[in-house]
Amino acid sequence: MGKYLAALAVSGPLYMILLFFVETNTFWKLKTRFADFWTKQKLATCKVALVPEDQDVAKEAKMIQTNLGQLCEKNPLVVKEMSKIYVKKVALLAVNKVSFTVQAQECFGLLGLNGAGKSSIFTMLTGEKPITSGDAFIKGLSISSDVGKVRKWIGYCPQFDALLNFMTGREMLVMYARIRGIPERHISVCVDQIVDDLAMDTYADELVKTYSGGNKRKLSASIALIGEPALIFLDEPSTGMDPVARRLFWNAVGWVRESGKAIIITSHSMEECEALCTRLAIMVQGQFKCLGSPQHLKSKFGSGYSLRAKVRSEGQQEALQEFKAFVDLTFSGSVLEDEHQGMVQYHLPGHNLTWAKVFGILEQAKKKYMLEDYSVSQVSLEDIFLSFANPVPLVKGEDQQEQAE
Protein backbone atom coordinates (compact mmCIF):
# COMPACT_ATOMS: atom_id res chain seq x y z
CA MET A 1 0.00 0.00 0.00
CA GLY A 2 3.01 2.28 0.31
CA LYS A 3 2.96 3.53 -3.29
CA TYR A 4 -0.75 4.34 -3.11
CA LEU A 5 -0.35 6.28 0.14
CA ALA A 6 2.62 8.13 -1.37
CA ALA A 7 0.55 9.03 -4.44
CA LEU A 8 -2.28 10.23 -2.19
CA ALA A 9 0.11 12.32 -0.10
CA VAL A 10 1.44 14.02 -3.26
CA SER A 11 -1.83 14.43 -5.23
CA GLY A 12 -3.93 15.60 -2.25
CA PRO A 13 -2.04 18.87 -1.58
CA LEU A 14 -1.44 19.33 -5.31
CA TYR A 15 -5.17 19.27 -6.12
CA MET A 16 -5.96 21.49 -3.13
CA ILE A 17 -3.53 24.09 -4.45
CA LEU A 18 -5.02 23.74 -7.94
CA LEU A 19 -8.53 24.22 -6.50
CA PHE A 20 -7.34 27.35 -4.69
CA PHE A 21 -6.01 28.82 -7.95
CA VAL A 22 -9.27 28.00 -9.75
CA GLU A 23 -11.46 29.58 -7.03
CA THR A 24 -9.37 32.78 -6.94
CA ASN A 25 -9.41 33.11 -10.78
CA THR A 26 -5.62 33.11 -10.82
CA PHE A 27 -5.43 31.21 -14.11
CA TRP A 28 -7.94 33.61 -15.72
CA LYS A 29 -5.85 36.61 -14.59
CA LEU A 30 -2.65 35.05 -15.90
CA LYS A 31 -4.35 34.20 -19.17
CA THR A 32 -5.58 37.79 -19.48
CA ARG A 33 -2.13 39.25 -18.88
CA PHE A 34 -0.55 36.79 -21.32
CA ALA A 35 -3.20 37.60 -23.94
CA ASP A 36 -2.72 41.35 -23.41
CA PHE A 37 1.03 40.95 -23.93
CA TRP A 38 0.56 39.12 -27.21
CA THR A 39 -2.17 41.46 -28.42
CA LYS A 40 0.12 44.45 -27.93
CA GLN A 41 2.83 42.63 -29.85
CA LYS A 42 0.43 41.72 -32.63
CA LEU A 43 -1.11 45.18 -32.71
CA ALA A 44 2.02 46.47 -34.38
CA THR A 45 1.06 44.44 -37.45
CA CYS A 46 -2.57 45.60 -37.42
CA LYS A 47 -3.17 48.39 -39.92
CA VAL A 48 -5.92 50.65 -38.62
CA ALA A 49 -7.56 53.08 -40.99
CA LEU A 50 -7.37 56.61 -39.55
CA VAL A 51 -10.66 58.40 -40.11
CA PRO A 52 -11.80 61.81 -38.87
CA GLU A 53 -13.71 61.57 -35.59
CA ASP A 54 -17.20 62.97 -35.33
CA GLN A 55 -17.55 66.06 -33.14
CA ASP A 56 -20.19 64.51 -30.87
CA VAL A 57 -18.13 61.33 -30.39
CA ALA A 58 -15.02 63.36 -29.54
CA LYS A 59 -16.99 65.54 -27.12
CA GLU A 60 -18.32 62.48 -25.27
CA ALA A 61 -14.83 60.97 -24.99
CA LYS A 62 -13.34 64.24 -23.72
CA MET A 63 -16.11 64.63 -21.12
CA ILE A 64 -15.43 61.11 -19.80
CA GLN A 65 -11.68 61.77 -19.74
CA THR A 66 -12.01 64.94 -17.64
CA ASN A 67 -15.00 64.08 -15.39
CA LEU A 68 -14.71 60.32 -14.91
CA GLY A 69 -15.31 60.32 -11.14
CA GLN A 70 -18.44 62.47 -11.25
CA LEU A 71 -19.90 60.54 -14.17
CA CYS A 72 -19.37 57.18 -12.42
CA GLU A 73 -21.32 58.46 -9.41
CA LYS A 74 -24.28 59.73 -11.47
CA ASN A 75 -24.55 57.25 -14.36
CA PRO A 76 -25.20 53.48 -14.24
CA LEU A 77 -22.66 52.88 -17.04
CA VAL A 78 -19.52 54.73 -18.09
CA VAL A 79 -17.26 53.27 -20.80
CA LYS A 80 -13.79 54.80 -21.17
CA GLU A 81 -11.71 54.09 -24.28
CA MET A 82 -12.60 50.41 -24.32
CA SER A 83 -10.88 48.27 -26.94
CA LYS A 84 -10.94 44.61 -27.86
CA ILE A 85 -8.31 42.78 -29.89
CA TYR A 86 -8.63 39.14 -30.92
CA VAL A 87 -5.31 37.33 -31.33
CA LYS A 88 -5.35 34.83 -34.16
CA LYS A 89 -3.06 34.63 -37.15
CA VAL A 90 -3.21 38.42 -37.28
CA ALA A 91 -4.26 40.95 -34.66
CA LEU A 92 -7.92 41.74 -35.12
CA LEU A 93 -9.19 45.05 -33.74
CA ALA A 94 -12.88 44.42 -33.06
CA VAL A 95 -13.56 47.47 -30.82
CA ASN A 96 -11.41 50.58 -31.10
CA LYS A 97 -11.36 53.00 -28.12
CA VAL A 98 -15.11 53.33 -27.63
CA SER A 99 -16.27 55.86 -25.00
CA PHE A 100 -19.85 56.61 -23.96
CA THR A 101 -22.14 56.96 -20.95
CA VAL A 102 -25.65 55.66 -20.30
CA GLN A 103 -27.83 57.56 -17.85
CA ALA A 104 -30.75 56.34 -15.78
CA GLN A 105 -34.04 56.37 -17.74
CA GLU A 106 -32.10 56.16 -20.99
CA CYS A 107 -32.23 53.60 -23.77
CA PHE A 108 -28.94 53.64 -25.68
CA GLY A 109 -28.90 51.98 -29.11
CA LEU A 110 -25.94 50.38 -30.89
CA LEU A 111 -26.41 50.16 -34.65
CA GLY A 112 -24.05 48.49 -37.08
CA LEU A 113 -23.60 45.81 -39.68
CA ASN A 114 -22.81 42.24 -38.67
CA GLY A 115 -19.23 42.25 -37.42
CA ALA A 116 -19.17 45.94 -36.46
CA GLY A 117 -18.29 45.11 -32.83
CA LYS A 118 -21.68 45.40 -31.07
CA SER A 119 -21.68 41.92 -29.53
CA SER A 120 -18.00 42.29 -28.64
CA ILE A 121 -18.94 45.31 -26.51
CA PHE A 122 -21.62 43.25 -24.76
CA THR A 123 -19.26 40.35 -24.04
CA MET A 124 -16.82 42.75 -22.39
CA LEU A 125 -19.47 44.66 -20.42
CA THR A 126 -20.88 41.40 -19.02
CA GLY A 127 -17.44 40.07 -18.11
CA GLU A 128 -17.65 37.16 -20.53
CA LYS A 129 -14.40 38.24 -22.20
CA PRO A 130 -11.63 40.47 -20.81
CA ILE A 131 -11.17 44.06 -21.93
CA THR A 132 -7.94 44.49 -23.88
CA SER A 133 -7.50 48.17 -22.99
CA GLY A 134 -9.56 50.87 -21.34
CA ASP A 135 -12.23 50.18 -18.73
CA ALA A 136 -15.95 50.34 -18.03
CA PHE A 137 -17.73 51.21 -14.80
CA ILE A 138 -21.16 49.96 -13.71
CA LYS A 139 -22.61 51.69 -10.64
CA GLY A 140 -19.11 53.03 -10.00
CA LEU A 141 -17.49 49.56 -9.99
CA SER A 142 -14.81 48.62 -12.51
CA ILE A 143 -15.58 45.63 -14.71
CA SER A 144 -11.88 44.76 -14.92
CA SER A 145 -11.40 44.41 -11.15
CA ASP A 146 -14.91 43.88 -9.69
CA VAL A 147 -16.70 41.77 -12.28
CA GLY A 148 -18.28 39.55 -9.61
CA LYS A 149 -19.93 42.52 -7.87
CA VAL A 150 -20.87 44.14 -11.17
CA ARG A 151 -22.89 41.20 -12.46
CA LYS A 152 -25.57 41.52 -9.79
CA TRP A 153 -26.61 44.84 -11.37
CA ILE A 154 -26.88 43.43 -14.90
CA GLY A 155 -29.73 41.87 -16.89
CA TYR A 156 -28.62 40.30 -20.17
CA CYS A 157 -30.46 38.97 -23.21
CA PRO A 158 -27.75 37.38 -25.41
CA GLN A 159 -27.88 37.25 -29.18
CA PHE A 160 -28.26 33.46 -29.09
CA ASP A 161 -30.77 31.98 -26.64
CA ALA A 162 -29.22 30.35 -23.56
CA LEU A 163 -32.23 28.36 -22.32
CA LEU A 164 -32.77 24.98 -20.66
CA ASN A 165 -34.85 22.78 -22.95
CA PHE A 166 -36.39 20.58 -20.26
CA MET A 167 -37.78 23.40 -18.11
CA THR A 168 -40.95 25.34 -18.80
CA GLY A 169 -40.87 29.06 -19.42
CA ARG A 170 -42.52 29.77 -16.08
CA GLU A 171 -40.01 27.57 -14.24
CA MET A 172 -37.12 29.42 -15.83
CA LEU A 173 -38.56 32.79 -14.84
CA VAL A 174 -39.06 31.57 -11.26
CA MET A 175 -35.49 30.27 -11.17
CA TYR A 176 -34.03 33.58 -12.35
CA ALA A 177 -36.28 35.51 -9.97
CA ARG A 178 -34.77 33.53 -7.10
CA ILE A 179 -31.26 34.14 -8.43
CA ARG A 180 -32.10 37.86 -8.53
CA GLY A 181 -33.01 37.71 -4.85
CA ILE A 182 -36.71 38.51 -5.20
CA PRO A 183 -38.51 37.49 -1.96
CA GLU A 184 -40.34 34.21 -2.38
CA ARG A 185 -43.74 35.74 -1.59
CA HIS A 186 -43.37 38.19 -4.51
CA ILE A 187 -42.01 35.80 -7.15
CA SER A 188 -45.38 34.52 -8.36
CA VAL A 189 -46.73 38.04 -8.86
CA CYS A 190 -43.58 39.19 -10.72
CA VAL A 191 -43.57 36.16 -13.01
CA ASP A 192 -47.30 36.42 -13.76
CA GLN A 193 -46.89 40.12 -14.55
CA ILE A 194 -44.09 39.64 -17.07
CA VAL A 195 -45.86 36.63 -18.64
CA ASP A 196 -48.96 38.77 -19.10
CA ASP A 197 -47.02 41.80 -20.42
CA LEU A 198 -45.42 39.75 -23.22
CA ALA A 199 -48.50 37.58 -23.94
CA MET A 200 -46.78 34.32 -22.99
CA ASP A 201 -49.81 32.84 -21.17
CA THR A 202 -50.63 30.14 -23.71
CA TYR A 203 -47.22 28.43 -23.65
CA ALA A 204 -45.65 29.54 -20.34
CA ASP A 205 -46.19 26.05 -18.85
CA GLU A 206 -44.82 24.14 -21.84
CA LEU A 207 -41.25 22.86 -22.20
CA VAL A 208 -38.80 25.30 -23.75
CA LYS A 209 -37.76 22.75 -26.39
CA THR A 210 -41.25 23.06 -27.94
CA TYR A 211 -40.95 26.86 -28.36
CA SER A 212 -40.56 28.56 -31.71
CA GLY A 213 -37.62 30.88 -32.32
CA GLY A 214 -39.71 33.99 -31.65
CA ASN A 215 -41.08 32.60 -28.38
CA LYS A 216 -37.56 31.74 -27.22
CA ARG A 217 -36.53 35.33 -27.85
CA LYS A 218 -39.50 36.53 -25.78
CA LEU A 219 -38.43 34.27 -22.92
CA SER A 220 -34.80 35.44 -23.13
CA ALA A 221 -35.93 39.08 -23.08
CA SER A 222 -38.21 38.34 -20.09
CA ILE A 223 -35.30 36.83 -18.17
CA ALA A 224 -33.25 40.00 -18.78
CA LEU A 225 -36.06 42.21 -17.50
CA ILE A 226 -37.06 40.22 -14.41
CA GLY A 227 -35.81 41.48 -11.07
CA GLU A 228 -35.46 45.05 -12.31
CA PRO A 229 -31.65 45.16 -12.70
CA ALA A 230 -30.08 48.61 -12.84
CA LEU A 231 -28.54 48.01 -16.28
CA ILE A 232 -30.11 45.86 -19.00
CA PHE A 233 -28.30 44.59 -22.13
CA LEU A 234 -30.53 43.49 -25.01
CA ASP A 235 -28.66 42.01 -27.99
CA GLU A 236 -31.11 41.96 -30.92
CA PRO A 237 -33.97 40.95 -28.59
CA SER A 238 -36.90 41.17 -31.02
CA THR A 239 -35.41 39.00 -33.78
CA GLY A 240 -38.05 36.51 -34.92
CA MET A 241 -40.91 38.04 -32.92
CA ASP A 242 -44.23 38.57 -34.62
CA PRO A 243 -45.52 42.19 -34.91
CA VAL A 244 -47.86 41.88 -31.91
CA ALA A 245 -45.17 40.41 -29.67
CA ARG A 246 -42.69 43.03 -30.82
CA ARG A 247 -45.08 45.85 -29.93
CA LEU A 248 -45.76 44.33 -26.49
CA PHE A 249 -42.02 43.98 -25.94
CA TRP A 250 -41.47 47.63 -26.87
CA ASN A 251 -44.11 48.65 -24.35
CA ALA A 252 -42.44 46.57 -21.63
CA VAL A 253 -39.04 48.09 -22.39
CA GLY A 254 -40.59 51.56 -22.25
CA TRP A 255 -42.09 50.89 -18.81
CA VAL A 256 -38.77 49.53 -17.52
CA ARG A 257 -36.89 52.57 -18.80
CA GLU A 258 -39.39 55.00 -17.26
CA SER A 259 -38.96 53.25 -13.91
CA GLY A 260 -35.37 54.53 -13.81
CA LYS A 261 -33.40 51.70 -15.42
CA ALA A 262 -30.69 52.10 -18.06
CA ILE A 263 -30.95 49.98 -21.22
CA ILE A 264 -28.50 49.22 -24.02
CA ILE A 265 -29.97 47.60 -27.10
CA THR A 266 -28.59 46.42 -30.44
CA SER A 267 -30.91 46.01 -33.38
CA HIS A 268 -31.05 45.91 -37.17
CA SER A 269 -34.54 47.41 -37.11
CA MET A 270 -34.52 51.17 -37.59
CA GLU A 271 -38.18 51.26 -36.56
CA GLU A 272 -37.30 49.63 -33.25
CA CYS A 273 -34.48 52.09 -32.60
CA GLU A 274 -36.70 55.09 -33.31
CA ALA A 275 -39.41 53.67 -31.04
CA LEU A 276 -37.14 52.83 -28.07
CA CYS A 277 -33.84 54.70 -28.17
CA THR A 278 -33.32 58.10 -26.58
CA ARG A 279 -29.72 58.10 -27.87
CA LEU A 280 -27.89 55.89 -30.30
CA ALA A 281 -24.53 55.37 -31.94
CA ILE A 282 -23.71 53.97 -35.38
CA MET A 283 -20.70 51.62 -35.33
CA VAL A 284 -18.50 50.85 -38.32
CA GLN A 285 -15.49 48.55 -38.01
CA GLY A 286 -15.30 48.90 -34.22
CA GLN A 287 -15.61 52.69 -34.03
CA PHE A 288 -18.43 55.13 -33.34
CA LYS A 289 -19.18 57.20 -36.43
CA CYS A 290 -21.91 59.32 -34.88
CA LEU A 291 -23.62 59.73 -31.53
CA GLY A 292 -26.83 61.45 -30.43
CA SER A 293 -30.60 61.25 -30.35
CA PRO A 294 -32.42 59.99 -33.48
CA GLN A 295 -33.69 63.49 -34.24
CA HIS A 296 -30.22 64.99 -33.74
CA LEU A 297 -28.72 62.53 -36.23
CA LYS A 298 -31.49 63.24 -38.73
CA SER A 299 -30.95 66.99 -38.44
CA LYS A 300 -27.15 66.72 -38.63
CA PHE A 301 -26.63 64.05 -41.28
CA GLY A 302 -29.97 63.78 -43.05
CA SER A 303 -29.99 67.06 -44.91
CA GLY A 304 -32.95 67.53 -47.20
CA TYR A 305 -36.38 65.97 -47.52
CA SER A 306 -37.93 62.91 -49.08
CA LEU A 307 -40.88 63.67 -51.42
CA ARG A 308 -43.39 61.04 -52.53
CA ALA A 309 -46.15 62.02 -54.95
CA LYS A 310 -48.79 60.09 -56.91
CA VAL A 311 -50.41 61.44 -60.08
CA ARG A 312 -54.05 60.63 -60.92
CA SER A 313 -54.70 57.95 -63.49
CA GLU A 314 -56.43 60.29 -66.01
CA GLY A 315 -53.78 61.62 -68.38
CA GLN A 316 -51.19 60.18 -66.10
CA GLN A 317 -48.17 60.09 -68.39
CA GLU A 318 -48.46 63.67 -69.59
CA ALA A 319 -49.17 65.02 -66.08
CA LEU A 320 -46.31 62.97 -64.67
CA GLN A 321 -43.81 64.37 -67.14
CA GLU A 322 -44.97 67.91 -66.41
CA PHE A 323 -44.69 67.34 -62.65
CA LYS A 324 -41.17 65.93 -62.99
CA ALA A 325 -40.10 68.95 -65.01
CA PHE A 326 -41.70 71.19 -62.35
CA VAL A 327 -39.76 69.51 -59.52
CA ASP A 328 -36.47 69.71 -61.42
CA LEU A 329 -37.03 73.42 -62.08
CA THR A 330 -38.37 74.39 -58.64
CA PHE A 331 -36.09 72.33 -56.40
CA SER A 332 -32.63 72.72 -57.84
CA GLY A 333 -30.46 69.67 -57.24
CA SER A 334 -33.37 67.28 -56.61
CA VAL A 335 -32.74 63.59 -57.37
CA LEU A 336 -35.37 61.19 -58.73
CA GLU A 337 -34.93 58.01 -56.67
CA ASP A 338 -37.90 55.93 -57.80
CA GLU A 339 -40.74 55.99 -60.36
CA HIS A 340 -43.47 53.36 -60.56
CA GLN A 341 -47.04 53.44 -61.93
CA GLY A 342 -47.59 57.14 -61.55
CA MET A 343 -45.73 57.44 -58.24
CA VAL A 344 -42.41 59.23 -57.94
CA GLN A 345 -39.97 59.62 -55.07
CA TYR A 346 -37.48 62.50 -54.92
CA HIS A 347 -34.71 63.55 -52.59
CA LEU A 348 -34.87 67.33 -52.16
CA PRO A 349 -31.71 69.15 -51.01
CA GLY A 350 -32.15 70.98 -47.71
CA HIS A 351 -30.41 74.23 -48.64
CA ASN A 352 -32.70 77.21 -47.91
CA LEU A 353 -35.73 74.92 -47.71
CA THR A 354 -38.20 74.86 -44.83
CA TRP A 355 -41.21 72.67 -44.18
CA ALA A 356 -43.53 75.61 -44.80
CA LYS A 357 -41.92 76.47 -48.13
CA VAL A 358 -42.01 72.86 -49.41
CA PHE A 359 -45.65 72.32 -48.43
CA GLY A 360 -46.65 75.73 -49.81
CA ILE A 361 -45.13 74.95 -53.22
CA LEU A 362 -46.67 71.48 -53.40
CA GLU A 363 -50.13 72.67 -52.35
CA GLN A 364 -50.13 75.12 -55.27
CA ALA A 365 -48.91 72.39 -57.64
CA LYS A 366 -51.39 69.76 -56.44
CA LYS A 367 -54.30 70.82 -58.66
CA LYS A 368 -52.21 72.00 -61.58
CA TYR A 369 -50.37 68.68 -62.00
CA MET A 370 -53.26 66.38 -60.97
CA LEU A 371 -51.60 65.02 -57.82
CA GLU A 372 -53.74 62.46 -56.02
CA ASP A 373 -51.67 62.78 -52.84
CA TYR A 374 -48.14 63.56 -51.71
CA SER A 375 -46.01 63.30 -48.59
CA VAL A 376 -42.88 65.09 -47.42
CA SER A 377 -40.63 63.67 -44.70
CA GLN A 378 -37.14 63.96 -43.34
CA VAL A 379 -34.46 61.58 -44.52
CA SER A 380 -34.99 58.35 -42.56
CA LEU A 381 -32.66 56.93 -39.94
CA GLU A 382 -32.14 53.94 -42.22
CA ASP A 383 -30.75 56.20 -44.97
CA ILE A 384 -28.32 57.75 -42.48
CA PHE A 385 -27.26 54.30 -41.29
CA LEU A 386 -26.63 53.11 -44.84
CA SER A 387 -24.56 56.21 -45.59
CA PHE A 388 -22.23 55.36 -42.69
CA ALA A 389 -22.17 51.58 -43.00
CA ASN A 390 -19.92 51.48 -46.05
CA PRO A 391 -17.82 48.32 -45.58
CA VAL A 392 -14.18 49.46 -45.67
CA PRO A 393 -11.59 46.92 -44.44
CA LEU A 394 -10.11 47.81 -41.06
CA VAL A 395 -7.37 45.19 -41.07
CA LYS A 396 -5.85 42.88 -43.63
CA GLY A 397 -9.05 41.06 -44.50
CA GLU A 398 -12.63 42.26 -44.79
CA ASP A 399 -14.04 38.97 -43.50
CA GLN A 400 -11.78 38.93 -40.45
CA GLN A 401 -13.86 41.56 -38.65
CA GLU A 402 -17.01 39.41 -39.02
CA GLN A 403 -15.04 36.44 -37.73
CA ALA A 404 -14.10 38.41 -34.61
CA GLU A 405 -17.75 39.07 -33.80
Side-chain angles (χ1 to χ4, degrees):
M1 293 177 62
K3 59 182 180 181
Y4 299 109
L5 291 174
L8 180 63
V10 172
S11 61
L14 181 64
Y15 282 115
M16 289 295 291
I17 293 171
L18 181 62
L19 179 62
F20 173 78
F21 286 149
V22 170
E23 290 293 331
T24 56
N25 289 327
T26 303
F27 291 120
W28 186 81
K29 293 175 183 177
L30 291 174
K31 178 183 176 183
T32 302
R33 291 183 180 179
F34 182 76
D36 288 345
F37 172 77
W38 281 106
T39 52
K40 290 174 182 177
Q41 296 295 320
K42 289 283 187 178
L43 185 59
T45 64
C46 181
K47 297 181 180 179
V48 181
L50 298 176
V51 295
E53 193 172 26
D54 179 70
Q55 183 179 359
D56 297 319
V57 176
K59 183 179 178 181
E60 184 94 351
K62 184 177 180 181
M63 180 183 66
I64 294 171
Q65 189 75 27
T66 55
N67 302 311
L68 180 62
Q70 296 178 4
L71 292 173
C72 289
E73 293 177 3
K74 296 179 181 179
N75 300 319
L77 175 64
V78 178
V79 177
K80 179 186 175 185
E81 294 185 345
M82 189 171 67
S83 299
K84 181 62 182 176
I85 303 172
Y86 293 94
V87 181
K88 296 186 179 180
K89 293 182 180 180
V90 295
L92 195 58
L93 188 59
V95 181
N96 184 16
K97 292 186 177 181
V98 168
S99 298
F100 64 94
T101 63
V102 181
Q103 304 175 4
Q105 292 189 327
E106 181 178 31
C107 183
F108 187 89
L110 288 175
L111 301 182
L113 298 173
N114 294 331
K118 308 183 299 298
S119 294
S120 294
I121 289 179
F122 274 15
T123 57
M124 288 187 286
L125 292 179
T126 55
E128 184 180 344
K129 292 183 180 178
I131 300 173
T132 302
S133 66
D135 206 348
F137 302 88
I138 295 178
K139 302 287 284 187
L141 299 173
S142 170
I143 290 178
S144 299
S145 57
D146 298 306
V147 66
K149 296 179 181 178
V150 161
R151 281 176 174 158
K152 69 179 182 179
W153 302 107
I154 293 175
Y156 182 34
C157 173
Q159 186 175 3
F160 303 102
D161 300 307
L163 303 173
L164 302 177
N165 286 332
F166 293 96
M167 293 180 69
T168 67
R170 191 181 300 276
E171 288 172 345
M172 289 209 66
L173 291 173
V174 170
M175 179 183 71
Y176 277 98
R178 288 172 176 157
I179 292 173
R180 283 284 174 201
I182 298 176
E184 193 70 27
R185 63 183 181 275
H186 298 314
I187 287 179
S188 178
V189 176
C190 292
V191 170
D192 290 342
Q193 181 66 46
I194 200 162
V195 165
D196 184 61
D197 288 344
L198 294 181
M200 298 168 57
D201 311 72
T202 56
Y203 54 87
D205 296 309
E206 297 179 6
L207 293 179
V208 171
K209 68 176 184 178
T210 64
Y211 286 14
S212 65
N215 289 336
K216 286 183 178 180
R217 294 307 292 163
K218 288 165 70 174
L219 180 57
S220 295
S222 301
I223 291 171
L225 298 178
I226 200 166
E228 298 187 354
L231 185 61
I232 301 170
F233 298 108
L234 303 173
D235 197 353
E236 300 182 18
S238 63
T239 303
M241 289 188 189
D242 59 82
V244 175
R246 186 181 297 115
R247 179 61 63 178
L248 292 173
F249 171 70
W250 291 356
N251 292 337
V253 171
W255 297 332
V256 171
R257 181 182 65 81
E258 291 173 1
S259 70
K261 312 306 178 187
I263 300 171
I264 303 181
I265 185 170
T266 69
S267 178
H268 292 296
S269 170
M270 300 300 111
E271 182 185 8
E272 183 170 66
C273 290
E274 292 198 69
L276 297 178
C277 297
T278 54
R279 278 204 314 160
L280 55 87
I282 295 177
M283 288 191 70
V284 178
Q285 302 293 334
Q287 292 178 306
F288 281 178
K289 295 301 180 183
C290 61
L291 179 67
S293 67
Q295 184 57 51
H296 172 72
L297 298 184
K298 287 180 183 179
S299 302
K300 183 174 181 179
F301 300 103
S303 60
Y305 304 93
S306 178
L307 166 64
R308 292 173 180 264
K310 181 173 178 58
V311 179
R312 295 175 186 171
S313 55
E314 304 89 25
Q316 188 178 82
Q317 290 301 321
E318 183 179 352
L320 184 61
Q321 295 301 323
E322 292 179 357
F323 178 72
K324 289 165 62 177
F326 165 77
V327 172
D328 293 337
L329 182 63
T330 307
F331 302 103
S332 179
S334 60
V335 178
L336 178 62
E337 296 181 336
D338 186 31
E339 179 180 350
H340 181 68
Q341 293 186 351
M343 180 175 287
V344 291
Q345 179 176 346
Y346 277 91
H347 176 264
L348 308 180
H351 307 296
N352 301 322
L353 275 182
T354 62
W355 288 101
K357 184 176 181 180
V358 174
F359 277 108
I361 293 172
L362 291 173
E363 276 297 316
Q364 294 178 4
K366 186 174 181 180
K367 293 182 179 180
K368 183 177 180 181
Y369 297 103
M370 302 174 61
L371 297 184
E372 184 175 319
D373 57 40
Y374 70 90
S375 66
V376 181
S377 61
Q378 279 188 306
V379 173
S380 67
L381 188 62
E382 183 173 1
D383 294 330
I384 298 172
F385 171 74
L386 292 174
S387 67
F388 278 105
N390 184 23
V392 179
L394 177 65
V395 289
K396 293 182 179 180
E398 186 175 350
D399 294 333
Q400 292 167 346
Q401 181 68 27
E402 296 182 2
Q403 187 179 2
E405 191 76 5

